């Protein structure tokens, strides 16, 4: 069997259903990272941890990209303040649920209250921010949402709100120092005292940890995997919710707004309300994604909500193809594994496989050695922490320009769900694009 | 009946735009509060003058950078998010030239070419200032402008030209990509971190003592103010009196009409990038001169303020950008009278959002003068 026919069969099989496609992407990325793990010098524990990391980040980016896809891909609302809405969710949750004694004091309410509060706050700010969306053209809205995101970040960072005492209760964002958050809720599953840093495992912990320790896998990796699996579950729920929304009459109006707002409003739909609702729902989901993200580390600071965070989500969405929920999830995973983690993997791979000599002082010294047919110094220069991070961002920029020029429809091709319930562009019985 | 008529007109304006009236009332109240503070001793005259002066400097920097952005906005019709990093690129190129000229023969080439960077380079020994090394400064300014202009042209050729028919959003996204590439290429090649540029004690300055304090004006601030004003005037003359300026205004007004009239639109686009890029590079160089330091985020951190200025003045109007820059600069500095320093930018961005909501055509009412 020739290679092309195999790839053709794979494509035909994957094209049948979105679930299979997602499975195939996940499998492909896992295999890639499994192969790369020993080359980076990882033992079993390190391998499991690197797989956990891409699972964790892919699930989070999946949620964030789905939320953005709802706003941009469905309703055509160009929101580049994603980071700001994420911050609103996380900080509200923190203020409600963090311990009163922690840096960035909170009220110490139960975590579910904090999470619901965070989602409500993100929704509310979303409603507020959507008001400009009712009046403004695309690029104006982009500038307004970017500014709104920055206003949120700068306010959180301001020392003024580091600690505020209202009516005898002290709360605060921690200002430039950042904010301690409640402990990772997944610890409840494994530990007697989840809040304590060094706690004895409970019955489940006692049953699970020794089994994995037998393979040399540390407890923290096991706990991290459990959290990542919960995130996958939540991603599944969000995906299901958004597919339902997209296929509902509400979703059809959204797609109609995206294609031609005038037509939608001529048909008697009050497009303004649809925009407000979809913007608010999207912002709530961004808040959810960010809350789940930061709960894992128990700490957050304003530097996590720079505009670059928004652009990460955008790049992931554009990779997957705006307008498709499945594409959003695929885009999130591909972005995390190849663009975000990929350069770091390559860096560790090079450091592990090659003898890295002294790092040259400047890029031009490295180039000079290259001219003398010695690529070693250039390699050494590239694989330093700072330089590989810079190169990663250059790569992201290039990918963004390339995609928007050559493949604006994303990796998966034309998967943008059409506004009509029947695909009008296909006439014969080949079925729709799905 | 003149008063009655104007009364009616005011009445209609109030009914049509109540929020604008609220803003005007707010401005009057704030101005009144400044007077009250001055009389009551809560604010000394000297501090007020120094806030106004700093506001003018910031305003002219932002305004000059805004002119280039307004040009590309009006002619190519997209919000160029790479504008800030174009500014940074010009500034770095210009300052490297300045360092090389000022320190030629006395300091190691590598150290000069990296503006210090990983090398030890004492800026006081190098002694760059507008009076001490005027030739190096002038040359650096020219290099900054030329480099940014050519870079803009190259970027247009590679990125934006193949996308001429695309919508504003696609171009905006591409420009975000360009911004990342430019900024992090500088980080990768020259390494990040703030670098000192000028020699503090070799920069002449005047100390004025009046109104309950001292107030210092240094030569670099004056240079920025004079050159920024001069460049803006030059741009104005160019747009007003040359054939190119006329063609640019025609294109900003109606591209199709311009094309059928026989205006070579592609050539005008190239001229726009050259001119806008040049002004932007010069703005970056002058901002770095005034601040005395340079970072790789020089332009990106100013970008939203530049957008605010351009929006305030009416997107696409270069006179608006100049005026908007001054308004944003002065009002954000003046807001220090009431706000803590960490809220200056919050104030400026809020003004921008309110402005976009109330009067998207800008202060000057949407005259797109190219």
């Amino acid at each position: 069997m020739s290679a092309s026919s195999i790839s053709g069969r794979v494509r035909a099989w994957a094209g049948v259903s979105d679930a299979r496609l997602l499975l195939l992407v996940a499998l492909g990325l896992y295999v890639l990272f499994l192969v790369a793990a020993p080359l980076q010098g990882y033992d079993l524990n390190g391998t499991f941890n690197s797989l956990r990391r891409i699972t964790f980040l892919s699930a989070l980016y999946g949620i964030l990209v789905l939320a953005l896809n709802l706003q941009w891909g469905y309703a055509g609302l160009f929101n580049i303040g994603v980071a700001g809405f994420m911050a609103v969710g996380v900080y509200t949750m923190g203020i409600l649920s963090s311990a009163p004694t922690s840096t960035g004091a909170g009220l110490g309410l139960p975590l579910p209250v904090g999470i619901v509060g965070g989602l409500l706050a993100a929704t509310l700010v979303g409603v507020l921010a959507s008001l400009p969306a009712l009046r403004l053209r695309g690029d104006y809205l982009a500038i307004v949402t970017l500014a709104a995101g920055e206003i949120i970040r700068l306010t959180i960072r301001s020392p003024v709100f580091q600690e505020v005492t209202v009516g005898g209760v002290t709360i605060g964002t921690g200002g430039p120092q950042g904010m301690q958050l409640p402990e990772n809720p997944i610890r409840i599953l494994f530990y007697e005292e989840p809040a304590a840093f060094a706690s004895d495992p409970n019955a489940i912990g006692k049953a699970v940890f020794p089994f994995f320790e037998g393979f040399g896998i540390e407890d923290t990796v096991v706990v991290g995997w459990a959290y990542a699996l919960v995130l996958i579950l939540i991603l599944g729920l969000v995906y299901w919710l958004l597919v339902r929304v997209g296929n509902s009459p509400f979703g059809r109006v959204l797609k109609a707004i995206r294609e031609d707002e005038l037509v939608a409003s001529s048909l008697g739909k009050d497009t303004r309300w649809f925009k407000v609702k979809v913007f608010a729902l999207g912002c709530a989901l961004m808040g959810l994604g960010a809350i789940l993200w930061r709960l894992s580390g128990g700490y957050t600071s304003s530097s996590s909500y720079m505009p670059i965070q928004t652009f990460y989500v955008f790049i992931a969405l554009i990779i997957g193809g705006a307008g498709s929920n499945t594409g959003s999830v695929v885009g999130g995973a591909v972005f995390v594994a190849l663009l975000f983690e990929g350069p770091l993997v390559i860096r560790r791979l090079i450091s592990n496989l090659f003898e890295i000599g002294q790092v040259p002082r400047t890029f031009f010294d490295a180039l000079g050695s290259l001219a003398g047919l010695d690529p070693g110094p250039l390699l050494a220069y590239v694989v330093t922490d700072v330089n590989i991070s810079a190169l990663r961002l250059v790569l992201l920029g290039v990918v963004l320009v390339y995609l928007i020029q050559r493949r604006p429809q994303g990796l998966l091709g034309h998967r943008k769900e059409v506004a009509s319930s029947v695909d009008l562009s296909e006439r014969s019985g080949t079925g729709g694009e799905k | 009946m003149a008063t009655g008529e104007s009364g009616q007109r005011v009445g209609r304006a109030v009914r049509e735009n109540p929020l604008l009236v609220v803003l005007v009332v707010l401005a009057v109240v704030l101005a009144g509060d400044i007077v009250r503070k001055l009389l009551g001793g809560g604010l000394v005259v000297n501090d007020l003058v120094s806030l106004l002066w700093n506001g003018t400097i910031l305003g002219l920097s932002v305004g000059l950078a805004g002119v280039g952005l307004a040009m590309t906005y009006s002619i190519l019709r997209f919000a160029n998010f790479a504008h800030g990093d174009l500014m940074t690129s010009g500034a770095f190129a210009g300052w490297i030239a300045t360092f090389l000229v000022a320190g030629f023969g006395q300091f190691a080439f590598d150290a000069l070419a990296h503006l210090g960077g990983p090398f030890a380079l004492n800026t006081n020994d190098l002694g760059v200032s507008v009076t001490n090394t005027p030739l190096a400064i002038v040359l650096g300014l020219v290099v900054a402008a030329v480099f940014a202009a050519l870079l803009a042209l190259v970027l247009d050729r590679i990125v934006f030209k193949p996308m001429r028919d695309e919508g504003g959003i696609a171009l905006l996204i591409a420009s975000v990509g360009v911004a990342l590439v430019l900024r992090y290429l500088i980080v990768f090649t020259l390494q990040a971190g703030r670098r000192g540029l000028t020699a503090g004690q070799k920069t002449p300055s005047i100390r004025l003592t009046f109104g309950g304090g001292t107030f210092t004006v240094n030569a670099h601030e004056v240079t920025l103010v004079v050159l920024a004003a001069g460049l803006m005037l030059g741009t104005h003359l160019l747009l007003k009196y040359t054939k190119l300026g006329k063609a640019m205004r025609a294109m900003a007004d109606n591209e199709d009409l311009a094309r059928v009239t026989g205006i070579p639109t592609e050539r005008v686009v190239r001229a726009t990038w050259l001119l806008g890029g040049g002004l932007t590079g010069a703005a970056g160089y002058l901002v770095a001169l005034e601040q005395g330091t340079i970072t790789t985020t020089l332009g990106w951190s100013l970008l939203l303020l530049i957008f605010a200025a351009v929006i305030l003045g009416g997107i696409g109007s270069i006179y608006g950008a100049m005026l908007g820059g001054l308004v944003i600069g002065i009002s954000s500095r003046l807001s220090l009278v009431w706000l803590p320093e960490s809220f200056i930018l919050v104030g400026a961005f809020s003004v921008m959002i309110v402005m976009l909501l109330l009067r998207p055509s800008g202060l000057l009412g949407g005259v797109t003068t190219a």
Side-chain angles (χ1 to χ4, degrees), chain A residues 135 139-140 158 361 381 405, chain B residues 73 159 188 191 315 342 357:
Chain A
R135 308 180 50 142
D139 49 350
Y140 286 23
S158 164
R361 206 130 71 133
Y381 185 82
Q405 273 191 352
Chain B
Y73 214 138
V159 179
F188 180 70
Q191 299 169 27
I315 286 179
S342 52
L357 289 180

Side-chain angles (χ1 to χ4, degrees), chain A residues 9 19-20 36 42 44 78 81 100 168 179 193 239 246 296 379 404 413:
Chain A
R9 279 193 177 196
R20 282 187 191 174
Y42 283 154
L44 198 60
F78 194 71
M179 184 183 212
E193 295 167 80
Y239 178 83
S296 76
L379 215 54
I404 208 74

Side-chain angles (χ1 to χ4, degrees), chain B residues 226-283:
Chain B
V226 170
L227 284 181
L231 284 171
M232 286 188 195
L233 182 71
T235 313
H236 161 71
L237 295 176
L238 184 116
L239 285 176
K240 195 90 179 179
Y241 296 109
T242 66
K243 208 169 161 185
L244 172 67
K246 208 182 214 174
M248 283 170 68
R249 283 184 286 143
M251 256 190 89
D253 198 43
N254 186 329
E255 196 184 332
D256 292 333
L257 193 56
R259 192 175 291 132
V260 294
T261 325
I263 292 173
T265 49
E266 250 333 287
R267 235 159 68 197
V268 176
V269 166
R270 277 203 297 277
T272 307
W273 278 115
L274 276 175
L275 199 58
L279 288 171
T280 309

Side-chain angles (χ1 to χ4, degrees), chain B residues 123-186:
Chain B
T123 48
N124 278 329
D125 293 345
L126 187 61
V128 172
S129 81
V130 82
T131 44
N132 204 31
T133 57
L135 186 71
I137 296 280
V138 171
L139 197 85
L141 184 65
V142 171
V143 169
V146 170
F147 182 81
L150 293 179
L151 181 61
L153 210 58
V154 169
L155 289 173
D156 179 58
R157 188 71 195 74
I158 299 172
V159 179
F160 301 118
K161 195 175 174 201
M163 302 178 70
R164 282 279 190 270
D165 301 327
E166 307 260 349
I169 292 293
L171 284 160
L172 190 159
I173 294 172
S175 75
V176 169
V178 172
L180 290 177
V181 171
L182 287 184
R183 190 173 343 139
Y184 289 99
L185 271 183
I186 301 175

Side-chain angles (χ1 to χ4, degrees), chain A residues 303-389:
Chain A
S303 61
S304 305
Y305 308 101
M306 304 277 260
I308 190 72
Q309 180 60 53
T310 303
F311 298 142
Y312 287 158
V313 180
F314 252 96
I315 293 169
L317 177 56
I318 292 169
I319 289 173
S324 153
N325 284 319
T326 311
S328 300
V329 178
V330 171
V334 169
F335 167 79
V336 165
L338 299 186
L339 291 180
F340 198 78
E341 289 291 305
L344 304 182
V345 169
I346 289 173
R347 176 193 162 214
R348 282 189 294 261
L349 220 135
I350 291 175
S351 312
N352 187 47
L353 295 184
F354 299 97
E355 193 71 35
I356 295 297
Q358 179 129 26
V359 179
R361 206 130 71 133
T362 70
F363 176 61
F364 302 97
D365 288 350
L367 274 190
S369 312
L370 188 67
L373 294 178
D374 178 13
L378 184 63
L379 215 54
Y381 185 82
V382 166
V383 297
T384 61
D385 254 342
V386 186
N387 292 335
I388 198 84
S389 303

Side-chain angles (χ1 to χ4, degrees), chain B:
Chain B
M1 295 305 287
T3 51
E5 257 175 40
S6 67
Q8 274 178 0
R9 207 178 298 156
V10 170
R12 197 167 62 231
V14 170
R15 274 196 304 280
E16 280 174 1
N17 218 338
L19 281 167
L20 202 63
V21 177
V22 172
L23 280 189
V24 170
V25 171
L26 191 70
V28 170
V29 168
L30 290 180
D33 191 52
I34 287 189
V35 173
R36 191 184 60 80
K37 281 200 162 100
L38 281 176
L39 294 177
L43 177 74
V44 292
V45 177
N46 191 282
D47 285 347
L48 183 64
V49 172
S50 125
L51 287 177
L52 287 174
W53 174 243
N54 288 333
T56 310
I57 292 168
L58 178 64
L60 284 171
S61 326
V62 167
L64 184 61
V67 172
L69 186 66
M71 277 183 179
T72 47
Y73 214 138
S74 64
I75 291 187
L76 295 153
R77 293 171 211 289
F78 77 99
N80 182 9
F81 273 71
H83 190 78
D85 296 292
L86 185 63
M87 197 172 160
T88 316
S89 309
F92 266 93
W95 275 101
I96 289 172
T98 298
F99 267 44
L100 287 176
V101 172
F104 184 75
Q106 292 165 284
F107 297 88
F109 177 84
D110 268 355
L112 294 171
H114 284 81
L115 301 179
F119 302 94
L121 184 68
N122 187 337
T123 48
N124 278 329
D125 293 345
L126 187 61
V128 172
S129 81
V130 82
T131 44
N132 204 31
T133 57
L135 186 71
I137 296 280
V138 171
L139 197 85
L141 184 65
V142 171
V143 169
V146 170
F147 182 81
L150 293 179
L151 181 61
L153 210 58
V154 169
L155 289 173
D156 179 58
R157 188 71 195 74
I158 299 172
V159 179
F160 301 118
K161 195 175 174 201
M163 302 178 70
R164 282 279 190 270
D165 301 327
E166 307 260 349
I169 292 293
L171 284 160
L172 190 159
I173 294 172
S175 75
V176 169
V178 172
L180 290 177
V181 171
L182 287 184
R183 190 173 343 139
Y184 289 99
L185 271 183
I186 301 175
V187 173
F188 180 70
T189 50
L190 296 177
Q191 299 169 27
R194 188 175 284 276
R195 295 158 153 90
L197 295 175
T198 54
Q201 83 275 28
K202 288 184 184 162
T203 311
S205 59
I206 313 165
R207 289 167 73 85
L208 302 165
T209 309
F210 68 94
T214 55
F215 161 58
T216 316
V217 179
N218 77 37
H220 291 160
E221 294 172 340
V222 176
T223 311
L224 180 133
V225 168
V226 170
L227 284 181
L231 284 171
M232 286 188 195
L233 182 71
T235 313
H236 161 71
L237 295 176
L238 184 116
L239 285 176
K240 195 90 179 179
Y241 296 109
T242 66
K243 208 169 161 185
L244 172 67
K246 208 182 214 174
M248 283 170 68
R249 283 184 286 143
M251 256 190 89
D253 198 43
N254 186 329
E255 196 184 332
D256 292 333
L257 193 56
R259 192 175 291 132
V260 294
T261 325
I263 292 173
T265 49
E266 250 333 287
R267 235 159 68 197
V268 176
V269 166
R270 277 203 297 277
T272 307
W273 278 115
L274 276 175
L275 199 58
L279 288 171
T280 309
Y285 185 87
L286 290 174
V287 168
L289 174 73
E290 193 269 321
Q291 292 178 345
T293 59
I294 195 168
T295 63
T296 47
T297 51
L298 171 111
W300 174 252
S301 57
L302 277 177
L303 184 66
L304 261 179
L305 276 184
I306 299 172
F307 269 118
V310 170
I311 286 167
L312 205 62
I315 286 179
S317 153
I318 69 147
Y319 307 117
M322 299 173 189
L323 180 72
L326 277 177
V327 171
I328 284 282
I330 292 176
S331 62
S332 68
R333 287 293 144 186
L334 215 51
S335 66
L336 278 174
V337 174
W338 304 278
L339 293 177
E341 183 142 13
S342 52
F343 278 94
I344 297 184
L345 285 175
V346 172
F349 297 160
S350 306
V351 167
M352 174 176 84
I353 293 181
V354 170
M355 194 69 194
L356 261 178
L357 289 180
L358 297 185
R359 208 174 152 78
S361 54
L363 283 177
L364 297 184
V367 275
T368 46
T369 41

